[in-house]
Amino acid sequence: MADYVFFLKNVLMVSLAMNMGLIWKISYDDEDNITTSIQQKLHFHPLYFNRQNERQHDDDEAYVTKRTQMLASLESVVINLDHGDPTMYETFWKQKGEETTVVTSSWQHISYFSDIKNVCWFLEPGLVSAITRLHKVVGNAVTEGRHIVVGTGSSQLYQAALYALSPPNTSTPMNVVSAAPYYSSYPLMTDYLKSGLHKWAGDAYTFNKEEPYIELVTSPNNPDGFTRQDVVKGDKGILIHDLAYYWPQYTPILSPADYDIMLFTVSKSTGHAGTRIGWALVKDREIAKKMTTFIEINTIGVSKDSQIRAAKILEAVSDSCNQKEAESFFDYSYKLMAERWKKIKAAVNKTQLFSLPNFPQETCSFSGRTFGQLPAFAWLKCEEVDDCESFLRRHKILTRGGKHFGASTKYVRISMLSRESEFNLLTERLPAIIS
Amino acid sequence: MADYVFFLKNVLMVSLAMNMGLIWKISYDDEDNITTSIQQKLHFHPLYFNRQNERQHDDDEAYVTKRTQMLASLESVVINLDHGDPTMYETFWKQKGEETTVVTSSWQHISYFSDIKNVCWFLEPGLVSAITRLHKVVGNAVTEGRHIVVGTGSSQLYQAALYALSPPNTSTPMNVVSAAPYYSSYPLMTDYLKSGLHKWAGDAYTFNKEEPYIELVTSPNNPDGFTRQDVVKGDKGILIHDLAYYWPQYTPILSPADYDIMLFTVSKSTGHAGTRIGWALVKDREIAKKMTTFIEINTIGVSKDSQIRAAKILEAVSDSCNQKEAESFFDYSYKLMAERWKKIKAAVNKTQLFSLPNFPQETCSFSGRTFGQLPAFAWLKCEEVDDCESFLRRHKILTRGGKHFGASTKYVRISMLSRESEFNLLTERLPAIIS
C-alpha cells in the first residue's frame, strides 16, 4: 500500500510539473512587450504553476490509467525554481491545529489605528510581543531599545528605510549600494519610480565616490548564502541590514545582531509569504518615524488581519521551541534544509558540469549544532558554460541568472524552498544533464 | 435601568474623549521637526485616541464616582474628526455572527501566488467573485470586460495607476491634476518620492499646459461630497476615477460607472479600514499588467488574509441585500448617514457662523429612494472667520483645513464616519460656539 501511495504521489508530481510547464508556456507566449523587461527582473508573474490544478486533478485512478503517457513526458516537464516561494514548510504547519488557527469576526480590526502611543501607530501590540519574544528565544537580534516598524513584507520596509535615510532636500539622489552578488530586486526597488531621493549605484565593492551612500548588507546573503559585513570603507555611509535569512534553519546563529536598521520577514522565517508581513528593528526614533511616514503615504498602514495572523504564528514558533514533547519549528526546518542540501550536493557531485559554494562550519548558539550554511538558495556555478541560466532552461530548469545579481552569467540562483515534488525533479535532472 | 446604562455610556464617552484629548496633547508636544510637515498633511499619527483606553477603563463604578470632575471637563475635551476612520459601521458588524467570521489555519495561503492565470497573479479568486457580485447587486460599476487589480488599500492602487500611466522614458514627469477641492493626500502621494515619472500639477480647473496629463476624478468628491466629471478640456488627458464613495449610503446610484480605471476600497464601502484592501476595475489589459507590476515591486502582492476576509465581508453585504427578514448593510448605513446629516444640519442651522453645501435630490437606482448626497465628510464653511481650522481647534474640534485640499481656509473637512460618541459631541458643541 505504501508503495502504491508513493507511486501515486510520483505520478501526481509529474502531472503537476506538466501543468506547470504548460501554464508557463501559455503565459510565456502571451508575454507583452511593454513590461517584459521588468517582469524578467521580477521573475514573478508568468513563470509559476498553479496550485489550483492540484485540486482539480484529485482522481487518482485517472492518473494511474494515464501513467504511461505521463512518464514519457517527464523529460519535457519545466521545473520553475526561479523565485523563492517558501512553500516547503507547509507540511509542518499542516500538523498544527487550533493553536495556530486565527478566527476573525467582521467587527474586529476595522480602524486604521492599532496603537497611537507607538511610533508605528498601525502596529498591532500582539505582534510587538510576538516579535520581541521570538528574537529573545532564538537569540538572533537585539530588540531592547529598538522601535519596531511593521511593513507589507520587508520589500516595503526596504523602500521605507531608503525614504527615511535619504535627505529630502539635496540636489542629487543618495547612492545605494550592495556587494555583488546582491539581491536582484534591490536595483529595481531603488529606481522604479526614478526617485530624486535615491539611486542605485551598483556593487559596493566598486563604489569609490566621495559622496554619502546607503549600503545594504544582506546576511546570510541572497543569492549565495554567505555571512556578510559591510564592505565600503567610506565614512559617509549608512547601513541597512537585511536579515531575512538570519534564522537557525539557514545559518548557525552566532550572536544577537545589533545594528541600526535590521529587516526581517515572515516569508522566509516561517514560510508565510502570502501574509505579507515584515518588520524592522530600528534604533533611532526619528528614522522609525520617517519609515512609518513612508508606509502611511504608501499604503496607509499594514493589514491588521495579517499582523494578527503573523503574531499567532510567531508565538507558535516560540512555543514550539519550549516544548519537549514535539519537534520545534526550527528543528523541523533545519532537518529539511540539511536533507535538501545533502541531496543537491550529491546530485551536483555526480557531474563535472556544476559546483556549489563551500561554507565554514560554525556552532549555532540556538541549537548547539555545528554546521555550515544551509541557504534558501543554491548559488550554482556552471563550470563549462558561460550562460548557465539559458543552459539550464534548455534542460527545462528555470533559474535566475547571475547577471540579475550583478554577477557572472556562469552562476544561477536556484530556490531551495519549493515543494518536495519540484525539488526532487531538480535533484534527479541535474546529474542527468550531459551538456 | 435603561437610563442608568445611557448615563454610563455618556460618562464613558466623556472619559474617552478626555483620553483622546490628553493623548493628542502628549503626542502633539512630542512632535518632531523633521516629519512635522508631512505628518500635518497626513493628519494621521499624533491625532487620534486609542481604543485600548476603552478596554482599560471598563470599571463602570469608578466612572460614576468620578462623574462630577469628568462632566466639568467636558468643555476641554478635544474631538478629533480630522481623518476619516470609518468606525461608524462597527455596530452593524457586531450584529453579524458566524457568516462573516473568517477562520484561517496556519498552513493556508502561504504562497506568494493566488492565480497565475490572472493578470493580477496575487488576486484571490474568491475576492474576484465577491467584487463582481457586489457591483452587480448595487449597480454602481461595470465589471464586464474589466481586469480587477487588488491593492493594499486604494492609495496603493492610485500610485500603481500613476506608474502605469506615466511614460517610462520621457524627460519631464507626467502632470497630475484634480479639481479643487481635491483629496488632500493626492499631492503627497504623487510627489513624496520626487519621482521622475509624475508630478503634482495642482487644480485641474487652472491646468492649461499643452502637455500630457492625468486627471483624477473623485466622485462623490472628497472633501465636499459633490458628484464630479472631468474638467480639463485638453485632448492629451488620461482619467483615473476614484469611486471610493460611490455607494448607496453616501449618494444616489444613478447608473453603473463605466470608466477606464475605477478605484474602490473596503475602507469606505464596508468600513473595514484596518483590512487595507482596495480594488481597481481596469479596462485595458496592459494598464492592469503595469499596475500589477507596481504592486509586485512595491509590496510583492497583497496580503491574502485580508483578501479572504474582504471577500467574506463583501459577500455578506451582497447576501444582506437579498434577505428580506433582516436589514441590509446599505439600509443600515444609509439610515445612519441620513440621521447624522440631519443632526449636523440642525446643529449648523442654530448658528450664523457656519454653512454646509446643498445637494440636489436624485433617485437611487439601487434603493429607489430619492435623496441628496450624504457625504462621508462635512465640508463646513466658516462664514465670519478666515482660518476655520484654527478657529475650530480653539474650540477643541480637530478638522482638516481647506488649504490641504487646494481650497480656501474658510473651509474645513469634518469626518462623518466616527463612532457615535465623537459625533454627538460635535453636534452639541457646534451650536454652542459663539465666536
PDB file of all heavy atoms in Angstrom, chain A residues 23 42 85 106 108 111 116 168 193-195 272 275 296 303 305 309, chain B residues 23 42 85 106 108 111 116 168 193-195 272 275 296 303 306 309:
ATOM      1  N   ILE A  23       1.418  25.739 -18.358  1.00  0.00           N
ATOM      2  CA  ILE A  23       0.999  27.085 -17.977  1.00  0.00           C
ATOM      3  C   ILE A  23       2.116  28.079 -18.242  1.00  0.00           C
ATOM      4  O   ILE A  23       1.915  29.173 -18.740  1.00  0.00           O
ATOM      5  CB  ILE A  23       0.563  27.120 -16.496  1.00  0.00           C
ATOM      6  CG1 ILE A  23      -0.756  26.389 -16.361  1.00  0.00           C
ATOM      7  CG2 ILE A  23       0.429  28.540 -15.990  1.00  0.00           C
ATOM      8  CD1 ILE A  23      -1.145  26.100 -14.944  1.00  0.00           C
ATOM      9  N   LEU A  42      11.713  40.744 -12.234  1.00  0.00           N
ATOM     10  CA  LEU A  42      10.958  40.285 -11.071  1.00  0.00           C
ATOM     11  C   LEU A  42      10.807  38.774 -11.050  1.00  0.00           C
ATOM     12  O   LEU A  42      10.725  38.168 -10.005  1.00  0.00           O
ATOM     13  CB  LEU A  42       9.565  40.907 -11.076  1.00  0.00           C
ATOM     14  CG  LEU A  42       9.492  42.329 -10.587  1.00  0.00           C
ATOM     15  CD1 LEU A  42       8.167  42.937 -10.966  1.00  0.00           C
ATOM     16  CD2 LEU A  42       9.671  42.339  -9.075  1.00  0.00           C
ATOM     17  N   ASP A  85       9.571  31.096  -3.545  1.00  0.00           N
ATOM     18  CA  ASP A  85       8.274  30.922  -2.871  1.00  0.00           C
ATOM     19  C   ASP A  85       8.441  29.851  -1.788  1.00  0.00           C
ATOM     20  O   ASP A  85       8.664  28.675  -2.098  1.00  0.00           O
ATOM     21  CB  ASP A  85       7.231  30.494  -3.903  1.00  0.00           C
ATOM     22  CG  ASP A  85       5.804  30.712  -3.413  1.00  0.00           C
ATOM     23  OD1 ASP A  85       5.589  31.630  -2.605  1.00  0.00           O
ATOM     24  OD2 ASP A  85       4.916  29.968  -3.836  1.00  0.00           O
ATOM     25  N   SER A 106     -16.218  39.930  11.933  1.00  0.00           N
ATOM     26  CA  SER A 106     -16.245  41.029  10.968  1.00  0.00           C
ATOM     27  C   SER A 106     -16.133  42.407  11.612  1.00  0.00           C
ATOM     28  O   SER A 106     -15.787  43.369  10.947  1.00  0.00           O
ATOM     29  CB  SER A 106     -17.532  40.955  10.135  1.00  0.00           C
ATOM     30  OG  SER A 106     -18.670  40.988  10.981  1.00  0.00           O
ATOM     31  N   GLN A 108     -14.052  43.157  14.052  1.00  0.00           N
ATOM     32  CA  GLN A 108     -12.721  43.379  14.641  1.00  0.00           C
ATOM     33  C   GLN A 108     -11.784  44.104  13.682  1.00  0.00           C
ATOM     34  O   GLN A 108     -11.907  43.952  12.468  1.00  0.00           O
ATOM     35  CB  GLN A 108     -12.109  42.037  15.025  1.00  0.00           C
ATOM     36  CG  GLN A 108     -12.845  41.344  16.181  1.00  0.00           C
ATOM     37  CD  GLN A 108     -12.191  40.026  16.556  1.00  0.00           C
ATOM     38  OE1 GLN A 108     -12.122  39.121  15.735  1.00  0.00           O
ATOM     39  NE2 GLN A 108     -11.730  39.923  17.792  1.00  0.00           N
ATOM     40  N   SER A 111     -10.544  49.697  12.405  1.00  0.00           N
ATOM     41  CA  SER A 111      -9.952  51.043  12.367  1.00  0.00           C
ATOM     42  C   SER A 111      -8.599  51.017  11.655  1.00  0.00           C
ATOM     43  O   SER A 111      -7.930  50.004  11.584  1.00  0.00           O
ATOM     44  CB  SER A 111      -9.766  51.543  13.803  1.00  0.00           C
ATOM     45  OG  SER A 111      -8.994  52.718  13.830  1.00  0.00           O
ATOM     46  N   ILE A 116      -1.868  54.271  19.011  1.00  0.00           N
ATOM     47  CA  ILE A 116      -1.312  55.588  18.675  1.00  0.00           C
ATOM     48  C   ILE A 116      -0.190  56.024  19.613  1.00  0.00           C
ATOM     49  O   ILE A 116       0.497  56.994  19.346  1.00  0.00           O
ATOM     50  CB  ILE A 116      -2.380  56.690  18.601  1.00  0.00           C
ATOM     51  CG1 ILE A 116      -2.976  56.926  19.952  1.00  0.00           C
ATOM     52  CG2 ILE A 116      -3.385  56.431  17.529  1.00  0.00           C
ATOM     53  CD1 ILE A 116      -2.568  58.242  20.524  1.00  0.00           C
ATOM     54  N   PRO A 168      15.865  64.888   2.248  1.00  0.00           N
ATOM     55  CA  PRO A 168      14.773  65.296   1.360  1.00  0.00           C
ATOM     56  C   PRO A 168      15.119  66.455   0.426  1.00  0.00           C
ATOM     57  O   PRO A 168      14.480  66.630  -0.595  1.00  0.00           O
ATOM     58  CB  PRO A 168      13.663  65.699   2.335  1.00  0.00           C
ATOM     59  CG  PRO A 168      14.362  66.051   3.606  1.00  0.00           C
ATOM     60  CD  PRO A 168      15.611  65.222   3.660  1.00  0.00           C
ATOM     61  N   LEU A 193      10.722  54.161  -9.567  1.00  0.00           N
ATOM     62  CA  LEU A 193       9.957  55.404  -9.652  1.00  0.00           C
ATOM     63  C   LEU A 193      10.827  56.585 -10.063  1.00  0.00           C
ATOM     64  O   LEU A 193      10.392  57.731  -9.993  1.00  0.00           O
ATOM     65  CB  LEU A 193       9.249  55.671  -8.324  1.00  0.00           C
ATOM     66  CG  LEU A 193       8.124  54.660  -8.032  1.00  0.00           C
ATOM     67  CD1 LEU A 193       7.558  54.853  -6.641  1.00  0.00           C
ATOM     68  CD2 LEU A 193       7.014  54.768  -9.077  1.00  0.00           C
ATOM     69  N   LYS A 194      12.063  56.284 -10.490  1.00  0.00           N
ATOM     70  CA  LYS A 194      13.007  57.349 -10.874  1.00  0.00           C
ATOM     71  C   LYS A 194      13.044  58.423  -9.790  1.00  0.00           C
ATOM     72  O   LYS A 194      12.927  59.629 -10.069  1.00  0.00           O
ATOM     73  CB  LYS A 194      12.591  57.973 -12.212  1.00  0.00           C
ATOM     74  CG  LYS A 194      12.661  57.000 -13.371  1.00  0.00           C
ATOM     75  CD  LYS A 194      12.465  57.736 -14.678  1.00  0.00           C
ATOM     76  CE  LYS A 194      12.789  56.853 -15.858  1.00  0.00           C
ATOM     77  NZ  LYS A 194      12.741  57.571 -17.127  1.00  0.00           N
ATOM     78  N   SER A 195      13.202  57.977  -8.566  1.00  0.00           N
ATOM     79  CA  SER A 195      13.146  58.893  -7.428  1.00  0.00           C
ATOM     80  C   SER A 195      14.308  59.881  -7.437  1.00  0.00           C
ATOM     81  O   SER A 195      15.427  59.523  -7.795  1.00  0.00           O
ATOM     82  CB  SER A 195      13.169  58.089  -6.125  1.00  0.00           C
ATOM     83  OG  SER A 195      13.237  58.964  -5.020  1.00  0.00           O
ATOM     84  N   HIS A 272       5.484  32.060   5.509  1.00  0.00           N
ATOM     85  CA  HIS A 272       4.166  32.619   5.219  1.00  0.00           C
ATOM     86  C   HIS A 272       4.281  33.825   4.292  1.00  0.00           C
ATOM     87  O   HIS A 272       3.992  34.961   4.678  1.00  0.00           O
ATOM     88  CB  HIS A 272       3.441  32.959   6.523  1.00  0.00           C
ATOM     89  CG  HIS A 272       3.032  31.735   7.282  1.00  0.00           C
ATOM     90  ND1 HIS A 272       3.892  31.064   8.128  1.00  0.00           N
ATOM     91  CD2 HIS A 272       1.879  31.022   7.275  1.00  0.00           C
ATOM     92  CE1 HIS A 272       3.272  30.004   8.632  1.00  0.00           C
ATOM     93  NE2 HIS A 272       2.056  29.955   8.128  1.00  0.00           N
ATOM     94  N   THR A 275       1.180  36.141   3.569  1.00  0.00           N
ATOM     95  CA  THR A 275       0.708  37.012   4.647  1.00  0.00           C
ATOM     96  C   THR A 275       1.285  38.426   4.544  1.00  0.00           C
ATOM     97  O   THR A 275       0.731  39.369   5.076  1.00  0.00           O
ATOM     98  CB  THR A 275       1.013  36.324   6.004  1.00  0.00           C
ATOM     99  OG1 THR A 275       0.084  35.245   6.148  1.00  0.00           O
ATOM    100  CG2 THR A 275       0.879  37.237   7.191  1.00  0.00           C
ATOM    101  N   GLU A 296       2.651  55.175   5.819  1.00  0.00           N
ATOM    102  CA  GLU A 296       1.405  55.948   5.841  1.00  0.00           C
ATOM    103  C   GLU A 296       1.028  56.419   4.438  1.00  0.00           C
ATOM    104  O   GLU A 296      -0.103  56.265   3.990  1.00  0.00           O
ATOM    105  CB  GLU A 296       1.555  57.195   6.707  1.00  0.00           C
ATOM    106  CG  GLU A 296       1.498  56.963   8.194  1.00  0.00           C
ATOM    107  CD  GLU A 296       1.800  58.245   8.977  1.00  0.00           C
ATOM    108  OE1 GLU A 296       1.641  59.348   8.419  1.00  0.00           O
ATOM    109  OE2 GLU A 296       2.206  58.125  10.134  1.00  0.00           O
ATOM    110  N   SER A 303      -2.058  45.703   6.757  1.00  0.00           N
ATOM    111  CA  SER A 303      -3.258  44.930   7.086  1.00  0.00           C
ATOM    112  C   SER A 303      -3.212  44.343   8.496  1.00  0.00           C
ATOM    113  O   SER A 303      -2.278  43.624   8.847  1.00  0.00           O
ATOM    114  CB  SER A 303      -3.429  43.790   6.078  1.00  0.00           C
ATOM    115  OG  SER A 303      -3.997  44.279   4.897  1.00  0.00           O
ATOM    116  N   ASP A 305      -5.285  42.095   9.724  1.00  0.00           N
ATOM    117  CA  ASP A 305      -5.565  40.652   9.685  1.00  0.00           C
ATOM    118  C   ASP A 305      -4.263  39.872   9.594  1.00  0.00           C
ATOM    119  O   ASP A 305      -4.070  38.857  10.273  1.00  0.00           O
ATOM    120  CB  ASP A 305      -6.451  40.327   8.483  1.00  0.00           C
ATOM    121  CG  ASP A 305      -7.561  41.353   8.317  1.00  0.00           C
ATOM    122  OD1 ASP A 305      -8.333  41.506   9.279  1.00  0.00           O
ATOM    123  OD2 ASP A 305      -7.625  42.015   7.274  1.00  0.00           O
ATOM    124  N   ARG A 309      -2.418  37.392  12.355  1.00  0.00           N
ATOM    125  CA  ARG A 309      -2.033  36.028  11.984  1.00  0.00           C
ATOM    126  C   ARG A 309      -0.537  35.809  12.189  1.00  0.00           C
ATOM    127  O   ARG A 309      -0.114  34.781  12.736  1.00  0.00           O
ATOM    128  CB  ARG A 309      -2.393  35.783  10.520  1.00  0.00           C
ATOM    129  CG  ARG A 309      -2.181  34.347  10.127  1.00  0.00           C
ATOM    130  CD  ARG A 309      -2.444  34.119   8.672  1.00  0.00           C
ATOM    131  NE  ARG A 309      -2.360  32.693   8.397  1.00  0.00           N
ATOM    132  CZ  ARG A 309      -2.090  32.177   7.218  1.00  0.00           C
ATOM    133  NH1 ARG A 309      -1.895  32.961   6.189  1.00  0.00           N
ATOM    134  NH2 ARG A 309      -2.013  30.880   7.061  1.00  0.00           N
TER     135      ARG A 309
ATOM    136  N   ILE B  23      -4.065  62.361  25.100  1.00  0.00           N
ATOM    137  CA  ILE B  23      -3.089  61.686  24.238  1.00  0.00           C
ATOM    138  C   ILE B  23      -2.684  62.592  23.097  1.00  0.00           C
ATOM    139  O   ILE B  23      -1.537  62.692  22.722  1.00  0.00           O
ATOM    140  CB  ILE B  23      -3.660  60.350  23.715  1.00  0.00           C
ATOM    141  CG1 ILE B  23      -3.743  59.365  24.868  1.00  0.00           C
ATOM    142  CG2 ILE B  23      -2.796  59.778  22.592  1.00  0.00           C
ATOM    143  CD1 ILE B  23      -4.518  58.118  24.551  1.00  0.00           C
ATOM    144  N   LEU B  42      -0.674  64.475   6.410  1.00  0.00           N
ATOM    145  CA  LEU B  42      -1.332  63.177   6.545  1.00  0.00           C
ATOM    146  C   LEU B  42      -2.382  63.175   7.641  1.00  0.00           C
ATOM    147  O   LEU B  42      -3.366  62.476   7.564  1.00  0.00           O
ATOM    148  CB  LEU B  42      -0.294  62.106   6.874  1.00  0.00           C
ATOM    149  CG  LEU B  42       0.481  61.586   5.699  1.00  0.00           C
ATOM    150  CD1 LEU B  42       1.684  60.814   6.194  1.00  0.00           C
ATOM    151  CD2 LEU B  42      -0.402  60.688   4.845  1.00  0.00           C
ATOM    152  N   ASP B  85     -11.595  57.877   9.701  1.00  0.00           N
ATOM    153  CA  ASP B  85     -11.563  56.490  10.175  1.00  0.00           C
ATOM    154  C   ASP B  85     -13.009  55.981  10.266  1.00  0.00           C
ATOM    155  O   ASP B  85     -13.787  56.455  11.089  1.00  0.00           O
ATOM    156  CB  ASP B  85     -10.884  56.449  11.553  1.00  0.00           C
ATOM    157  CG  ASP B  85     -10.411  55.049  11.910  1.00  0.00           C
ATOM    158  OD1 ASP B  85     -10.083  54.268  10.993  1.00  0.00           O
ATOM    159  OD2 ASP B  85     -10.352  54.732  13.109  1.00  0.00           O
ATOM    160  N   SER B 106      -2.954  27.748   9.881  1.00  0.00           N
ATOM    161  CA  SER B 106      -1.606  28.280   9.654  1.00  0.00           C
ATOM    162  C   SER B 106      -0.981  27.814   8.343  1.00  0.00           C
ATOM    163  O   SER B 106      -0.054  28.426   7.849  1.00  0.00           O
ATOM    164  CB  SER B 106      -0.694  27.910  10.823  1.00  0.00           C
ATOM    165  OG  SER B 106      -0.650  26.504  10.989  1.00  0.00           O
ATOM    166  N   GLN B 108      -2.602  27.640   5.475  1.00  0.00           N
ATOM    167  CA  GLN B 108      -3.294  28.209   4.316  1.00  0.00           C
ATOM    168  C   GLN B 108      -2.630  29.482   3.810  1.00  0.00           C
ATOM    169  O   GLN B 108      -2.032  30.221   4.591  1.00  0.00           O
ATOM    170  CB  GLN B 108      -4.755  28.515   4.682  1.00  0.00           C
ATOM    171  CG  GLN B 108      -5.576  27.260   4.957  1.00  0.00           C
ATOM    172  CD  GLN B 108      -7.007  27.585   5.301  1.00  0.00           C
ATOM    173  OE1 GLN B 108      -7.276  28.257   6.282  1.00  0.00           O
ATOM    174  NE2 GLN B 108      -7.933  27.095   4.497  1.00  0.00           N
ATOM    175  N   SER B 111       1.671  30.749   0.026  1.00  0.00           N
ATOM    176  CA  SER B 111       2.430  31.104  -1.180  1.00  0.00           C
ATOM    177  C   SER B 111       2.245  32.577  -1.543  1.00  0.00           C
ATOM    178  O   SER B 111       1.256  33.205  -1.180  1.00  0.00           O
ATOM    179  CB  SER B 111       1.955  30.231  -2.345  1.00  0.00           C
ATOM    180  OG  SER B 111       2.464  30.683  -3.571  1.00  0.00           O
ATOM    181  N   ILE B 116      -2.100  32.285 -11.106  1.00  0.00           N
ATOM    182  CA  ILE B 116      -1.181  32.820 -12.117  1.00  0.00           C
ATOM    183  C   ILE B 116      -1.826  32.961 -13.485  1.00  0.00           C
ATOM    184  O   ILE B 116      -1.243  33.577 -14.372  1.00  0.00           O
ATOM    185  CB  ILE B 116       0.115  31.996 -12.235  1.00  0.00           C
ATOM    186  CG1 ILE B 116      -0.187  30.604 -12.757  1.00  0.00           C
ATOM    187  CG2 ILE B 116       0.915  31.995 -10.974  1.00  0.00           C
ATOM    188  CD1 ILE B 116       0.299  30.422 -14.146  1.00  0.00           C
ATOM    189  N   PRO B 168       7.576  55.706 -19.309  1.00  0.00           N
ATOM    190  CA  PRO B 168       8.803  55.461 -18.551  1.00  0.00           C
ATOM    191  C   PRO B 168      10.011  56.247 -19.041  1.00  0.00           C
ATOM    192  O   PRO B 168      10.953  56.460 -18.294  1.00  0.00           O
ATOM    193  CB  PRO B 168       9.034  53.954 -18.734  1.00  0.00           C
ATOM    194  CG  PRO B 168       8.299  53.585 -19.985  1.00  0.00           C
ATOM    195  CD  PRO B 168       7.166  54.544 -20.125  1.00  0.00           C
ATOM    196  N   LEU B 193       8.168  60.776  -3.360  1.00  0.00           N
ATOM    197  CA  LEU B 193       9.450  60.159  -3.730  1.00  0.00           C
ATOM    198  C   LEU B 193      10.186  60.975  -4.781  1.00  0.00           C
ATOM    199  O   LEU B 193      11.169  60.509  -5.360  1.00  0.00           O
ATOM    200  CB  LEU B 193       9.222  58.726  -4.208  1.00  0.00           C
ATOM    201  CG  LEU B 193       8.774  57.800  -3.067  1.00  0.00           C
ATOM    202  CD1 LEU B 193       8.390  56.439  -3.605  1.00  0.00           C
ATOM    203  CD2 LEU B 193       9.871  57.665  -2.010  1.00  0.00           C
ATOM    204  N   LYS B 194       9.691  62.202  -5.029  1.00  0.00           N
ATOM    205  CA  LYS B 194      10.292  63.062  -6.066  1.00  0.00           C
ATOM    206  C   LYS B 194      10.474  62.274  -7.354  1.00  0.00           C
ATOM    207  O   LYS B 194      11.566  62.265  -7.956  1.00  0.00           O
ATOM    208  CB  LYS B 194      11.641  63.608  -5.582  1.00  0.00           C
ATOM    209  CG  LYS B 194      11.531  64.527  -4.387  1.00  0.00           C
ATOM    210  CD  LYS B 194      12.866  65.198  -4.124  1.00  0.00           C
ATOM    211  CE  LYS B 194      12.730  66.295  -3.085  1.00  0.00           C
ATOM    212  NZ  LYS B 194      13.966  67.043  -2.921  1.00  0.00           N
ATOM    213  N   SER B 195       9.423  61.608  -7.759  1.00  0.00           N
ATOM    214  CA  SER B 195       9.503  60.728  -8.922  1.00  0.00           C
ATOM    215  C   SER B 195       9.766  61.500 -10.202  1.00  0.00           C
ATOM    216  O   SER B 195       9.235  62.597 -10.394  1.00  0.00           O
ATOM    217  CB  SER B 195       8.195  59.934  -9.054  1.00  0.00           C
ATOM    218  OG  SER B 195       8.216  59.173 -10.238  1.00  0.00           O
ATOM    219  N   HIS B 272     -14.124  48.719   6.675  1.00  0.00           N
ATOM    220  CA  HIS B 272     -13.015  47.887   7.163  1.00  0.00           C
ATOM    221  C   HIS B 272     -11.665  48.488   6.760  1.00  0.00           C
ATOM    222  O   HIS B 272     -10.917  47.917   5.962  1.00  0.00           O
ATOM    223  CB  HIS B 272     -13.182  46.454   6.663  1.00  0.00           C
ATOM    224  CG  HIS B 272     -14.317  45.748   7.318  1.00  0.00           C
ATOM    225  ND1 HIS B 272     -15.617  45.866   6.881  1.00  0.00           N
ATOM    226  CD2 HIS B 272     -14.359  44.947   8.425  1.00  0.00           C
ATOM    227  CE1 HIS B 272     -16.411  45.173   7.684  1.00  0.00           C
ATOM    228  NE2 HIS B 272     -15.687  44.596   8.618  1.00  0.00           N
ATOM    229  N   THR B 275      -8.310  46.494   7.261  1.00  0.00           N
ATOM    230  CA  THR B 275      -8.064  45.347   6.381  1.00  0.00           C
ATOM    231  C   THR B 275      -7.210  45.721   5.170  1.00  0.00           C
ATOM    232  O   THR B 275      -6.571  44.860   4.570  1.00  0.00           O
ATOM    233  CB  THR B 275      -9.427  44.719   5.992  1.00  0.00           C
ATOM    234  OG1 THR B 275      -9.930  44.031   7.136  1.00  0.00           O
ATOM    235  CG2 THR B 275      -9.336  43.751   4.851  1.00  0.00           C
ATOM    236  N   GLU B 296       3.886  44.417  -7.457  1.00  0.00           N
ATOM    237  CA  GLU B 296       4.953  43.416  -7.314  1.00  0.00           C
ATOM    238  C   GLU B 296       6.212  44.048  -6.721  1.00  0.00           C
ATOM    239  O   GLU B 296       6.817  43.518  -5.789  1.00  0.00           O
ATOM    240  CB  GLU B 296       5.335  42.835  -8.681  1.00  0.00           C
ATOM    241  CG  GLU B 296       4.398  41.796  -9.251  1.00  0.00           C
ATOM    242  CD  GLU B 296       4.783  41.398 -10.671  1.00  0.00           C
ATOM    243  OE1 GLU B 296       5.971  41.547 -11.023  1.00  0.00           O
ATOM    244  OE2 GLU B 296       3.909  40.952 -11.403  1.00  0.00           O
ATOM    245  N   SER B 303      -1.661  41.136   0.952  1.00  0.00           N
ATOM    246  CA  SER B 303      -1.924  40.104   1.965  1.00  0.00           C
ATOM    247  C   SER B 303      -3.140  39.248   1.612  1.00  0.00           C
ATOM    248  O   SER B 303      -4.241  39.765   1.398  1.00  0.00           O
ATOM    249  CB  SER B 303      -2.152  40.763   3.325  1.00  0.00           C
ATOM    250  OG  SER B 303      -0.924  41.097   3.909  1.00  0.00           O
ATOM    251  N   SER B 306      -6.159  39.296   4.272  1.00  0.00           N
ATOM    252  CA  SER B 306      -7.100  40.413   4.148  1.00  0.00           C
ATOM    253  C   SER B 306      -7.978  40.269   2.922  1.00  0.00           C
ATOM    254  O   SER B 306      -9.144  40.680   2.933  1.00  0.00           O
ATOM    255  CB  SER B 306      -6.328  41.735   4.099  1.00  0.00           C
ATOM    256  OG  SER B 306      -5.763  41.994   5.368  1.00  0.00           O
ATOM    257  N   ARG B 309     -10.676  37.832   3.909  1.00  0.00           N
ATOM    258  CA  ARG B 309     -11.636  38.477   4.808  1.00  0.00           C
ATOM    259  C   ARG B 309     -12.528  39.462   4.044  1.00  0.00           C
ATOM    260  O   ARG B 309     -13.743  39.497   4.236  1.00  0.00           O
ATOM    261  CB  ARG B 309     -10.878  39.216   5.910  1.00  0.00           C
ATOM    262  CG  ARG B 309     -11.814  39.780   6.933  1.00  0.00           C
ATOM    263  CD  ARG B 309     -11.089  40.559   7.995  1.00  0.00           C
ATOM    264  NE  ARG B 309     -12.008  40.919   9.044  1.00  0.00           N
ATOM    265  CZ  ARG B 309     -11.868  41.962   9.833  1.00  0.00           C
ATOM    266  NH1 ARG B 309     -10.802  42.733   9.724  1.00  0.00           N
ATOM    267  NH2 ARG B 309     -12.755  42.229  10.753  1.00  0.00           N
TER     268      ARG B 309
END
